[in-house]
Amino acid sequence: MNYCRKTLLLIIGLLLCVSPYSAHAQWYETQGHARLDKNTVEIARTKAMENALKKALLIAGASVSSVQQVINGLLTQDQLNIRATGSVNSIELVDETYNGDLLTVTIRADIFPQERKCFAVNFKKSLLITKSNIMHRQQANIGKIYSIDKAVPQQLSKQLSEHSAYTTHSSILNNKTQFSRLNNSLANDKIAELSKTLAHSSNSQYILFSEIHDISFEQEATNNWQFWQQGIYPRNFVMNFYLYNGINGELMWQNEYQSSAPWEFTKRLTIDPFSIKFWQSKYGTMISSLLEKVVKNIDENIMCEPSRGNIIQLTGNQITFDLGRQHGVKIGDEFTVLQRHSFSSNDGKNYTGFNASPYKVKVTQLTRNTAVAQTPDGDLFGNIQVDDLVVRY
């Protein structure tokens, strides 16, 4: 029995323990991806299969979290925690392709269906990463790491590119937004407007803000006896992330991440937070580990959210919207058209609402970032305008 089959049997065995047998199983076919740069083919294949299996389970209505630890090329730990009432009967490897260092597998999983479906998991959501804000700038004096407010979001961008299965992203890191000032004054309505403005200008569905709250040094050195020779002190790192829906300005998720690690550089040495030296240090490695958790949390919070796109052109019975191949859209996909409308509450606050129209459209043309779709029956649109939405649930 080969390595891959052993691991799949382990996964299936765990899944079969979740619920009693049901006679009404259903096949789901999904794709998974993994990179070969740091993995053997066997390990990459297993990771890709696990990624595909997670998608299949989510489509079937399960909620999955997975932790893998690979040491010396051997899978030493594989924990799948399933919160669902269904299970997997069998898995088949349908296809396996290589594109550079990217391995893609297609599997078919026989899953006992759930009431809740998550079809949106096959569509990537567009995310805009903004420049962070150092809340106590004087804490950056040692090392002169003032540009860490750009370096950390840039590192997060790299990790999203490598590890996120559910996002496509862009970033604006040269200019700081007004988020921290508005957040400090609890101006939630203005943060909502800021999120919608940034989303509209960048064609993004979600906006990620962040604040670096603590990069101070702890009072005690890691080694008091050697301190006079080395000056190695633990340095804190506390960062908050805020994910906003750019369509309606609502806060989707927020979390704080904190840890500390030895600062291995001398007190007067200037360190570039963009440098390899920084990211290969114990402090930089610690931040990278935290960012891996951020990527996972972002994926978990948006993977099953509806995929929404803005209509950017309208002609007759044909529309163009800002979702394309990079978002997972395919020829033949159907979307529902939503009409955007704004309203004000009694206290004068503005809100964005949506009315479901009777129109459904089917994708006929694709580019990387856009899609052209038309009504299947040829009906002309009535009351649909540019900046209205299409949605796939």
Side-chain angles (χ1 to χ4, degrees):
M1 184 181 295
N2 62 30
Y3 171 84
C4 180
R5 182 169 177 79
K6 286 180 180 178
T7 304
L8 281 177
L9 288 177
L10 171 62
I11 293 174
I12 295 171
L14 288 169
L15 292 170
L16 288 175
C17 294
V18 175
S19 70
Y21 175 78
S22 169
H24 304 287
Q26 183 172 337
W27 285 98
Y28 295 85
E29 185 171 298
T30 55
Q31 286 188 338
H33 309 279
R35 295 198 175 274
L36 295 166
D37 52 354
K38 296 180 181 179
N39 302 312
T40 64
V41 172
E42 291 79 8
I43 293 174
R45 183 185 295 114
T46 300
K47 287 188 173 183
M49 285 184 166
E50 184 196 30
N51 178 246
L53 177 59
K54 286 165 64 177
K55 289 182 181 180
L57 286 163
L58 286 164
I59 293 171
S63 178
V64 187
S65 62
S66 176
V67 177
Q68 280 195 337
Q69 293 180 354
V70 180
I71 300 175
N72 296 328
L74 298 175
L75 187 71
T76 59
Q77 182 177 346
D78 193 338
Q79 297 176 331
L80 254 72
N81 301 312
I82 315 297
R83 298 189 302 275
T85 57
S87 59
V88 176
N89 186 42
S90 63
I91 303 173
E92 293 180 2
L93 177 60
V94 176
D95 191 27
E96 180 176 322
T97 60
Y98 297 84
N99 184 8
D101 65 347
L102 183 67
L103 168 64
T104 300
V105 301
T106 302
I107 68 163
R108 293 177 72 236
D110 191 15
I111 302 173
F112 302 124
Q114 311 300 310
E115 293 182 2
R116 175 177 173 268
K117 305 291 183 183
C118 178
F119 296 106
V121 74
N122 284 327
F123 291 86
K124 290 190 174 183
K125 284 72 174 181
S126 52
L127 172 70
L128 179 68
I129 303 171
T130 63
K131 183 178 179 180
S132 190
N133 184 38
I134 304 175
M135 303 303 289
H136 307 284
R137 194 167 177 81
Q138 71 278 7
Q139 293 179 349
N141 289 343
I142 294 182
K144 304 290 191 296
I145 56 171
Y146 304 109
S147 59
I148 196 171
D149 55 358
K150 293 171 57 177
V152 172
Q154 185 183 86
Q155 185 70 11
L156 176 63
S157 174
K158 292 179 180 178
Q159 296 214 16
L160 283 166
S161 296
E162 294 177 2
H163 303 299
S164 173
Y166 308 105
T167 65
T168 176
H169 67 277
S170 58
S171 57
I172 48 169
L173 302 181
N174 290 327
N175 298 307
K176 187 169 63 175
T177 71
Q178 296 297 312
F179 171 77
S180 288
R181 180 181 63 81
L182 299 174
N183 194 39
N184 186 58
S185 58
L186 302 179
N188 295 326
D189 53 339
K190 293 184 179 180
I191 294 177
E193 290 303 315
L194 173 64
S195 300
K196 290 188 284 187
T197 299
L198 290 173
H200 187 269
S201 64
S202 62
N203 291 331
S204 299
Q205 188 171 343
Y206 296 96
I207 310 297
L208 186 69
F209 300 108
S210 61
E211 296 174 332
I212 299 174
H213 281 264
D214 190 1
I215 47 175
S216 66
F217 283 81
E218 296 183 11
Q219 296 300 315
E220 296 295 331
T222 54
N223 188 323
N224 287 327
W225 182 256
Q226 296 180 354
F227 166 66
W228 300 107
Q229 289 77 35
Q230 299 181 8
I232 299 177
Y233 268 84
R235 191 167 198 168
N236 299 310
F237 184 79
V238 179
M239 191 167 186
N240 285 32
F241 287 90
Y242 309 82
L243 183 68
Y244 280 82
N245 187 326
I247 303 297
N248 55 27
E250 292 181 355
L251 177 64
M252 296 285 299
W253 161 83
Q254 72 177 80
N255 201 10
E256 179 179 274
Y257 301 82
Q258 58 181 318
S259 188
S260 65
W263 183 255
E264 302 168 281
F265 311 104
T266 60
K267 186 176 181 179
R268 293 179 176 81
L269 186 64
T270 298
I271 299 299
D272 181 5
F274 292 95
S275 67
I276 295 177
K277 178 189 292 187
F278 176 83
W279 288 106
Q280 289 183 347
S281 70
K282 291 181 180 179
Y283 192 73
T285 301
M286 174 270 294
I287 296 175
S288 290
S289 296
L290 292 182
L291 294 180
E292 289 180 13
K293 297 178 183 178
V294 176
V295 170
K296 179 184 176 184
N297 291 157
I298 290 174
D299 271 0
E300 289 175 345
N301 278 275
I302 69 175
M303 64 172 69
C304 286
E305 289 295 317
S307 293
R308 293 186 175 97
N310 290 291
I311 297 175
I312 57 178
Q313 190 175 52
L314 177 84
T315 307
N317 74 325
Q318 183 173 282
I319 61 172
T320 303
F321 55 89
D322 58 0
L323 297 176
R325 278 194 299 268
Q326 71 166 340
H327 304 95
V329 179
K330 301 183 292 297
I331 299 292
D333 284 342
E334 287 192 349
F335 288 80
T336 299
V337 179
L338 301 180
Q339 290 179 280
R340 188 194 300 260
H341 69 94
S342 300
F343 60 94
S344 300
S345 62
N346 292 334
D347 57 2
K349 292 183 179 180
N350 296 320
Y351 296 90
T352 300
F354 306 96
N355 293 327
S357 78
Y359 301 106
K360 289 187 180 295
V361 293
K362 182 175 289 188
V363 175
T364 58
Q365 301 176 47
L366 275 178
T367 68
R368 175 177 169 81
N369 298 307
T370 64
V372 175
Q374 61 186 32
T375 54
D377 51 12
D379 286 348
L380 299 179
F381 292 109
N383 300 321
I384 302 300
Q385 302 177 9
V386 171
D387 282 340
D388 283 340
L389 305 178
V390 296
V391 62
R392 176 66 178 257
Y393 293 99

